[in-house]
Amino acid sequence: MSITSLAGRPAIVGVGTTPYGRLPEYDQYDLGAWALKEALSDSGLALGDLDGLIVSRIGDYQRFGEMLGINPRFTAQLPGQGRMAGIAIQQAAMAIATGMASVVAIVYGNNGRSSHDRYGGEGDQYGSGGAGQWFPYGMTSPGALHAMLFERHSALYGTTSAQLAEIAVTFRQHASLNPQAVMRDPISIETHQNSRFICEPLHLFDYCLINDGGVALIITSQDRAKDCRKKPVYIRGVEQATALADSSMPPDDFWRKPMQSISKRIYKQADCSRDELNALMIYDNFTPTVLFSLEGYGFCPIGESGPWVKEGHLRLGGRFPANTSGGHLSESYMQGWALNVEAVRQIRGECGDRQVENAELIQYMAAAPICTSIIYGVLPR
Amino acid sequence: MIPSTGHAKPLPVIDRHNRTYWEGTREHELRLLACDDCNHIRYQTFSTCPHCGSDRRHWICASGNGTVWSWTRFHKTYFPGFATDMPYVVVVIELDEGPKLFANMVDMRVPPKIGTRVKAVFEAVTDDVTLVKFKPA
Ligand SMILES: [Zn+2]
């Protein structure tokens, strides 16, 4: 059974972001509260209007709620993993659709750069939970896992590092048009190819940028959205599928099965087709994830994502402009959260030099042991 | 984190779930858990079978034969104990019995071709710990 529409027509009515970069004066709570203040101001709502709160990567929901002085009737805390961004939005949409809450704030605070969070090695808190069993072999870090997946993809389909470079170069080009992006100097295919290896075959420019920052979104129903400052951006579809079984090892199918399962349902829920999409926001913790997502979510045939991206489809002006903010590779690794904000800002037409013309339908997608996807629309379903 | 044994690389944490596995490697056996009810074989030492949910299980001795599924070569030093091995290769091996695992080839410098047939070898790194590594079959 699949959902055909969400009751209440949940919509994003406020988005807030802090600057990204090195912000050593702020902890996760400060960054989350700052982003939330921006989101509330964007929406025209006040703290007192919130009756739902979901936090991610912020250490303790209770302390955060105490700091804000609020008593929501729906509260949840999600771990600080990127796959949780889509889940937070899904949970908020569910709370609105069921009436369990009427205005939900979802808040993310990440001081990973200043607090030297590690994604590999013995102090790793985020990258490879429970993966200590592989340390005796020197195996660690999500980057290593993605390098292995990419090497396998290369062996099966002939995908090349220069095709990955196209992704890094494209997203950097987009970042050069985004004042909020941390890395704005354009790079070339050669820059990518000549950069040092981290986990070979992945180069430095195949990796996302760890930074400090906060992101918040305010979600409410179509009805309630009428009182807000800006035009709502509707959550026309939101779906999740997982591959938790055997997930300590890289998957044979590059997470295709859960992504295909989502694709079967999400266009029905959103009442649109792939062809109608104006832009994509693709979770890009590493460049290969973009390839796996394009194949899994059905934008190109299996095994052909490398040549497909080389044709320039992901560029501004291309068929499916992607990660117009620069994404995790060049704007900042805000773990999916800022990509969802970018989708909202594109649909509102707030993106200045990087604005996609007539951006009315945008799909967010993530590939991991938990896959999530969201389709945003300027109009409700 | 350098243990007094003189082995500078990280060591496995041996607990009640995996003790039999590590006793096996000392005897040059690659032991895996098999489900009594559905025969599913797992590398992870979970108490229940991920295939059928049964907690009835026994240890088998795997053939040690497998295939290189993929590899990566580390150019960033995450572990001080590997500093003198840089850059080193970690492989994913798909065992003939089904499960995959991460490991090293005996020669950690050169990435093997994906699809290479391999055979387990056992390398004692301390009195208590023997690691499973692989060499071309
Ligand atoms: Zn079983």
Side-chain angles (χ1 to χ4, degrees):
Chain A
M1 202 187 92
S2 61
I3 295 168
T4 48
S5 71
L6 288 166
R9 292 177 166 156
I12 313 279
V13 293
V15 293
T17 51
T18 68
Y20 308 134
R22 227 176 66 77
L23 302 163
E25 308 298 311
Y26 300 85
D27 65 15
Q28 299 166 340
Y29 297 88
D30 301 327
L31 292 164
W34 181 355
L36 177 58
K37 193 181 283 182
E38 299 287 335
L40 284 168
S41 143
D42 186 57
S43 69
L45 296 169
L47 261 181
D49 293 313
L50 299 179
D51 61 0
L53 174 69
I54 303 173
V55 300
S56 175
R57 205 170 175 121
I58 291 171
D60 178 359
Y61 66 90
Q62 183 176 336
R63 185 175 159 75
F64 190 64
E66 182 179 8
M67 176 177 170
L68 301 175
I70 59 170
N71 303 305
R73 64 185 168 116
F74 171 72
T75 311
Q77 173 162 2
L78 297 166
Q81 294 174 316
R83 60 194 72 158
M84 296 297 157
I87 298 175
I89 293 165
Q90 183 184 33
Q91 289 188 353
M94 286 161 64
I96 299 299
T98 56
M100 292 285 179
S102 61
V103 182
V104 182
I106 62 172
V107 187
Y108 169 84
N110 178 356
N111 63 340
R113 180 167 176 189
S114 293
S115 65
H116 307 289
D117 284 353
R118 290 158 184 240
Y119 293 83
E122 306 207 49
D124 185 350
Q125 302 166 51
Y126 293 101
S128 43
Q133 64 177 312
W134 307 116
F135 290 173
Y137 297 104
M139 176 58 193
T140 189
S141 82
L145 186 103
H146 286 78
M148 289 163 161
L149 279 166
F150 176 68
E151 185 58 30
R152 175 89 182 164
H153 199 276
S154 297
L156 290 173
Y157 307 113
T159 322
T160 67
S161 174
Q163 291 162 345
L164 293 182
E166 165 67 24
I167 296 167
V169 168
T170 298
F171 294 177
R172 180 59 63 88
Q173 176 58 31
H174 296 168
S176 75
L177 306 171
N178 174 11
Q180 200 172 0
V182 172
M183 293 291 197
R184 301 190 59 200
D185 293 334
I187 55 170
S188 66
I189 301 287
E190 291 68 38
T191 320
H192 172 283
Q193 293 288 282
N194 295 332
S195 68
R196 68 178 188 272
F197 285 124
I198 307 294
C199 285
E200 187 183 344
L202 298 190
H203 291 264
L204 175 67
F205 289 102
D206 292 311
Y207 278 62
C208 61
L209 309 170
I210 307 295
N211 278 293
D212 304 327
V215 181
L217 298 94
I218 313 288
I219 298 170
T220 189
S221 61
Q222 178 182 30
D223 198 40
R224 190 72 194 271
K226 288 179 186 131
D227 306 331
C228 295
R229 269 188 58 212
K230 293 184 179 168
K231 254 176 79 75
V233 172
Y234 291 93
I235 298 171
R236 293 184 41 143
V238 52
E239 287 285 356
Q240 176 187 151
T242 69
L244 300 181
D246 278 329
S247 55
S248 59
M249 283 291 131
D252 286 318
D253 71 345
F254 308 90
W255 299 297
R256 226 169 257 153
K257 199 172 160 206
M259 288 188 272
Q260 288 169 342
S261 156
I262 287 173
S263 300
K264 274 194 200 112
R265 290 174 275 138
I266 196 164
Y267 298 107
K268 276 186 216 159
Q269 195 194 134
D271 191 27
C272 71
S273 70
R274 259 182 218 102
D275 289 341
E276 291 174 81
L277 297 168
N278 305 110
L280 308 178
M281 299 296 155
I282 309 172
Y283 195 92
D284 55 337
N285 45 354
F286 306 97
T287 49
T289 327
V290 174
L291 299 184
F292 308 152
S293 300
L294 290 166
E295 292 179 14
Y297 288 106
F299 289 87
C300 64
I302 302 301
E304 293 179 25
S305 54
W308 192 87
V309 297
K310 209 63 184 157
E311 289 165 15
H313 300 296
L314 302 184
R315 298 177 197 160
L316 272 166
R319 178 59 196 87
F320 293 108
N323 299 23
T324 48
S325 57
H328 298 134
L329 296 173
S330 284
E331 185 191 41
S332 181
Y333 181 48
M334 290 292 115
Q335 298 190 283
W337 290 76
L339 284 173
N340 283 283
V341 168
E342 178 73 0
V344 170
R345 287 178 174 157
Q346 281 288 354
I347 287 177
R348 286 173 171 179
E350 294 177 341
C351 286
D353 293 341
R354 65 182 194 282
Q355 181 64 47
V356 173
E357 269 182 66
N358 305 315
E360 295 185 349
L361 283 167
I362 296 181
Q363 184 172 0
Y364 165 79
M365 61 195 79
I370 298 180
C371 297
T372 55
S373 188
I374 302 163
I375 295 179
Y376 294 101
V378 69
L379 297 172
R381 186 182 190 277
Chain B
M1 288 286 284
I2 297 175
S4 55
T5 57
H7 180 71
K9 295 185 169 74
L11 287 167
V13 178
I14 299 176
D15 60 26
R16 64 191 173 84
H17 294 291
N18 65 23
R19 188 172 310 281
T20 305
Y21 174 88
W22 291 109
E23 285 168 0
T25 59
R26 284 207 304 271
E27 293 166 30
H28 292 200
E29 284 183 12
L30 175 52
R31 294 180 187 166
L32 300 173
L33 275 176
C35 175
D36 287 0
D37 290 299
C38 77
N39 297 316
H40 179 80
I41 295 169
R42 55 191 186 265
Y43 180 87
Q44 296 293 338
T45 55
F46 300 132
S47 55
T48 61
C49 169
H51 190 251
C52 76
S54 168
D55 63 356
R56 303 194 317 133
R57 57 200 188 274
H58 61 279
W59 289 92
I60 61 154
C61 181
S63 63
N65 297 322
T67 306
V68 175
W69 189 89
S70 195
W71 58 267
T72 181
R73 182 154 47 186
F74 281 78
H75 291 256
K76 177 178 163 72
T77 309
Y78 288 99
F79 301 104
F82 279 85
T84 55
D85 300 297
M86 303 302 296
Y88 65 92
V89 175
V90 176
V91 289
V92 184
I93 302 297
E94 188 166 28
L95 297 172
D96 286 0
E97 288 78 6
K100 291 194 205 104
L101 70 159
F102 295 116
N104 301 128
M105 299 296 283
V106 173
D107 178 358
M108 289 206 296
R109 302 246 154 199
V110 186
K113 241 177 106 64
I114 289 175
T116 302
R117 291 289 294 160
V118 293
K119 177 88 191 154
V121 294
F122 297 87
E123 193 177 301
V125 296
T126 69
D127 287 346
D128 293 327
V129 175
T130 295
L131 295 178
V132 180
K133 296 193 174 182
F134 290 86
K135 63 175 189 190

